[in-house]
Amino acid sequence: MREMVRLMVESTSKMIKLWDDETRNSEGKLEVKVEDDLKSLSADIISRACFGSSYAHGEQIFLKLQTLQMVMSKVPTGVPGLRHIPSKHNREIWRLDKEIKAMILKIVRARRNLTYEKDLLQLILDAAKSYEESDCDQLPADISAETFIVDNCKTSWCLMLLAAYPEWQARGRAEVLDVCGSELPNDAILRRMKVLTMIIHETLCLYPPVAFVVREALQDISFKRIEILKGTNIEIPIPILHQQPEL
């Protein structure tokens, strides 16, 4: 955890310094494409945290994952068996998934000749029983392309909410100045930031990383006067559950 926080602080500090330098050079007025910078920030942090010294390859994987997410977002949901049909979208998804797995497998194989690293990939490999059984000829069952998918847009939503509610922006800034002082944040300092934690939790409540989950009815059920037959796929919208406690 401590090392992960250090990586986040290091990468974020670089981005903030870039914004500061650009602002100074533009006489205090600057239009920043926050989403693009946050994507780059996420790619840098996740690639370093997940792949350690192989972070350069990790950034390539991250870019592939972004493309995969974009393609997957265009595929209709709710139709049983649709993901198995060799449509144009599905073939593209299968191709990207295969390429990503091959890139990850290349890094996994290289780990046999490297010193032990404390990154997310190594933690997964240590916990995956299939890693030893497969002798790195295939990816452990615990590793898939989805393992490393990160939705950076939640940071964008958080910044948007802070802009919409300046009183919370002021409270968050005051807490950071009070708790951090002149120091850069670390894992111990972050645990003391109660207001920041509330802001993050509220953002995730309003804009969760997963928009919905799908569950299959294992038996005939009745819900709110709606009859749901056994075997029916049910889409459960997470944001609505967060915002309507009566559900």
Side-chain angles (χ1 to χ4, degrees), residues 74-157:
K74 299 178 181 179
V75 178
T77 59
V79 181
L82 185 62
R83 62 191 180 94
H84 301 294
I85 299 175
S87 62
K88 179 180 178 181
H89 275 113
N90 283 342
R91 288 197 301 270
E92 180 70 5
I93 291 173
W94 298 338
R95 181 185 66 80
L96 288 169
D97 184 70
K98 183 178 180 180
E99 291 178 359
I100 293 169
K101 286 181 178 178
M103 295 169 73
I104 298 175
L105 181 57
K106 184 178 180 180
I107 297 176
V108 170
R109 285 172 173 166
R111 287 297 170 94
R112 289 181 295 182
N113 303 319
L114 293 176
T115 56
Y116 186 85
E117 295 199 40
K118 295 182 179 180
D119 53 33
L120 178 60
L121 179 60
Q122 191 63 51
L123 291 175
I124 296 174
L125 293 177
D126 289 344
K129 183 179 179 181
S130 59
Y131 175 53
E132 295 181 357
E133 295 175 350
S134 65
D135 194 28
C136 296
D137 289 331
Q138 60 183 2
L139 281 178
D142 293 349
I143 298 181
S144 64
E146 290 77 10
T147 305
F148 302 99
I149 288 181
V150 177
D151 190 356
N152 67 282
C153 71
K154 299 302 168 283
T155 311
S156 301
W157 282 120

Side-chain angles (χ1 to χ4, degrees), residues 1 20 26 28 32 34 48 59 82 87-88 97 102 133 147 151 157 187 199 213 221 228 234:
M1 177 63 180
D20 186 57
S26 60
V32 178
V34 175
R48 290 176 184 273
E59 289 183 340
L82 185 62
S87 62
K88 179 180 178 181
D97 184 70
E133 295 175 350
T147 305
D151 190 356
W157 282 120
D187 58 319
I199 291 172
V213 294
I221 59 176
I228 302 175
I234 307 169

